[in-house]
Amino acid sequence: MEKKKGIWEAYKFSIILVGAIIIGSLIGVYLGEGAKKLKPFGDLFINGMFTIVVPLVLVTISSSIAGMNDMNRLGKILKTLLLTFVGTGIIAFIYVFITVKVFPPAQGVELSMPAAEALKPFQTGDQIVKAITVTDFPELISRKNMLPLIIFSIVFGLCVNMIGEKGRIIARGLEALSEVFLKMIGLLMYYAPIGLGAYFAALIGEHGKELLGSYARAMAIYYPLCLVYMFTAFPLYGYIAAGKEGVRALKHVISPAITAVATQSSIATLPVNLDACKEIGVPKDIREIVLPIGATAHMDGTVLSSILKISFLFGIFQVPFEGMGTYLSALALSVVGGVVMSGVPGGGLIGEMLIVTMYGFPAEAFPIIATIGYLVDPFATMINASGDTMASMLITRVVEGKDWMKKNLG
């Protein structure tokens, strides 16, 4: 009996969420289009998450940096963060690259489409400026501008830290605000099973038939690929981070993964991720710096889906997906797309437009990959969000040493 109780306590929230999503999906299948009437109940939960997450990002990042006594530690965290994000992105690229080479996603697809133009130069100057800055302060507190908000939060926290004793009052205030917003998240999560169940009912009711359409082959490739990546790369990351204890800690990744699938947003999953990393033993300063940044800039799932889309378009337009220049540009574009989309539902349309523009595909190509983007978004976001948890563990291993889990949990 004690063993069963332990399992229930460890997985209770995940089991409740999965149960709610399954029930919601069955309702969607049964009611069909009529299930769309339940969508407002799901929107209540998602809107609540988005409302809280912007101030949460601001206060958690700035308070962590403002209260940090060792600035060398901050530098080590950020440097390790960059290397980790790039490293896991490259590993994700290797997974999907091998997969689309062995199983071309557009094989057997014959469409009468205009020919693709020659490869066009990719002008990113304006896109970079828009991705990291805003024109006015009110735009900074919009979830559509998460990367500028993160940059502002980092600079603000640094400035509070740099003014010394005078900044201590502000740092303590930011820390208190962080706890307040986390408590608000805790209250909102009581509604999560109802909200996510209703959201999935509406989603299946409206779009269930499309999931069985002409993109079945691409989905049959992508979904198993995501699971293979999670069940092979994640245990490896966990072992590197903390040995066997790190692998066992993967049970805490379940809640962020499920929330990400349901909300289709790394940012909306951020509060759940923060709680998961706390349970794992990731130090407060590391999780409150790495996770908000990761929700915008650590997109392994986006790397997987972007290469799938690019390969799919190459196949449809009868262009060979080959050559080192093509591979490197695809890798670079997938990473850029992950940063630009900023972890919000629908943001993938921007990355898809970049793909069409860079490779000179005609306008007809856009709806083709936009449809793929919609279908893969839940699993892509699952990899993105749960991958942030793994990145936090890897970064903690470098910053804290090999026994970090025992030290922070013991």
Side-chain angles (χ1 to χ4, degrees):
M1 296 298 294
E2 285 297 316
K3 184 177 180 180
K4 291 183 179 180
K5 182 179 179 181
I7 293 175
W8 169 250
E9 289 300 322
Y11 293 95
K12 178 170 62 177
F13 184 69
S14 300
I15 293 171
I16 292 173
L17 277 183
V18 170
I21 289 171
I22 291 174
I23 293 172
S25 299
L26 292 175
I27 292 173
V29 171
Y30 179 75
L31 295 180
E33 292 286 331
K36 290 192 291 184
K37 295 179 181 179
L38 298 174
K39 190 173 183 294
F41 294 99
D43 290 341
L44 282 174
F45 173 72
I46 293 174
N47 291 347
M49 278 289 200
F50 279 133
T51 300
I52 298 174
V53 77
V54 169
L56 178 67
V57 167
L58 174 62
V59 298
T60 53
I61 292 181
S62 57
S63 66
S64 294
I65 295 176
M68 189 172 287
N69 294 321
D70 187 357
M71 297 308 290
N72 289 328
R73 177 180 171 87
L74 173 61
K76 189 174 183 180
I77 290 174
L78 294 177
K79 180 175 68 176
T80 308
L81 177 149
L82 177 61
L83 293 174
T84 300
F85 287 3
V86 172
T88 58
I90 291 174
I91 292 173
F93 172 79
I94 294 172
Y95 269 76
V96 67
F97 175 75
I98 294 174
T99 301
V100 299
K101 278 297 188 179
V102 177
F103 305 104
Q107 187 175 39
V109 178
E110 296 183 3
L111 298 177
S112 178
M113 302 292 292
E117 300 177 14
L119 187 68
K120 292 182 178 179
F122 190 38
Q123 304 297 331
T124 61
D126 290 341
Q127 294 163 354
I128 292 174
V129 171
K130 291 179 181 178
I132 65 176
T133 61
V134 293
T135 59
D136 199 358
F137 183 81
E139 298 177 23
L140 192 66
I141 55 177
S142 168
R143 64 179 173 84
K144 296 179 181 179
N145 298 312
M146 292 302 298
L147 192 53
L149 176 64
I150 288 172
I151 294 173
F152 177 87
S153 302
I154 292 173
V155 175
F156 182 76
L158 283 172
C159 292
V160 171
N161 192 295
M162 290 169 67
I163 63 175
E165 190 62 33
K166 294 180 180 179
R168 300 300 179 200
I169 298 175
I170 300 175
R172 287 195 294 270
L174 290 170
E175 184 177 3
L177 277 174
S178 176
E179 293 181 8
V180 170
F181 283 116
L182 288 173
K183 178 61 67 174
M184 291 179 68
I185 291 293
L187 294 177
L188 181 61
M189 291 309 294
Y190 285 113
Y191 179 70
I194 298 173
L196 296 182
Y199 186 88
F200 255 76
L203 183 68
I204 296 299
E206 183 176 2
H207 300 288
K209 294 180 180 179
E210 294 181 18
L211 298 176
L212 303 176
S214 61
Y215 298 95
R217 178 178 172 83
M219 299 308 100
I221 293 172
Y222 185 76
Y223 290 152
L225 173 62
C226 288
L227 295 177
V228 168
Y229 182 76
M230 286 193 70
F231 284 101
T232 57
F234 280 16
L236 175 62
Y237 298 155
Y239 187 81
I240 294 173
K244 294 180 180 179
E245 289 297 322
V247 177
R248 283 192 282 267
L250 292 179
K251 65 182 181 182
H252 296 291
V253 179
I254 296 176
S255 291
I258 292 174
T259 304
V261 170
T263 63
Q264 299 180 50
S265 170
S266 297
I267 294 175
T269 309
L270 177 58
V272 183
N273 244 336
L274 286 167
D275 185 64
C277 284
K278 181 179 179 181
E279 293 295 322
I280 291 171
V282 176
K284 184 175 184 293
D285 59 348
I286 294 179
R287 66 177 183 262
E288 291 186 355
I289 292 173
V290 172
L291 290 176
I293 296 175
T296 296
H298 183 222
M299 300 286 181
D300 291 348
T302 299
V303 173
L304 297 176
S305 63
S306 294
I307 302 304
L308 178 81
K309 296 170 190 174
I310 293 171
S311 176
F312 191 82
L313 284 185
F314 270 67
I316 284 181
F317 287 95
Q318 310 301 314
V319 178
F321 183 59
E322 58 187 28
M324 188 57 64
T326 299
Y327 302 150
L328 292 177
S329 65
L331 173 60
L333 187 61
S334 64
V335 174
V336 170
V339 173
V340 171
M341 71 176 55
S342 299
V344 298
L349 295 177
I350 300 172
E352 288 148 10
M353 291 179 67
L354 294 179
I355 291 173
V356 173
T357 301
M358 177 177 180
Y359 290 110
F361 291 114
E364 290 84 354
F366 178 71
I368 293 175
I369 58 170
T371 302
I372 292 180
Y374 178 80
L375 294 174
V376 304
D377 194 38
F379 268 42
T381 308
M382 175 184 70
I383 298 295
N384 292 339
S386 54
D388 294 340
T389 310
M390 305 310 303
S392 297
M393 293 173 62
L394 289 168
I395 292 168
T396 304
R397 169 65 174 85
V398 175
V399 175
E400 294 273 291
K402 64 179 182 178
D403 295 326
W404 66 269
M405 188 174 289
K406 294 179 180 179
K407 180 172 65 176
N408 289 292
L409 289 178

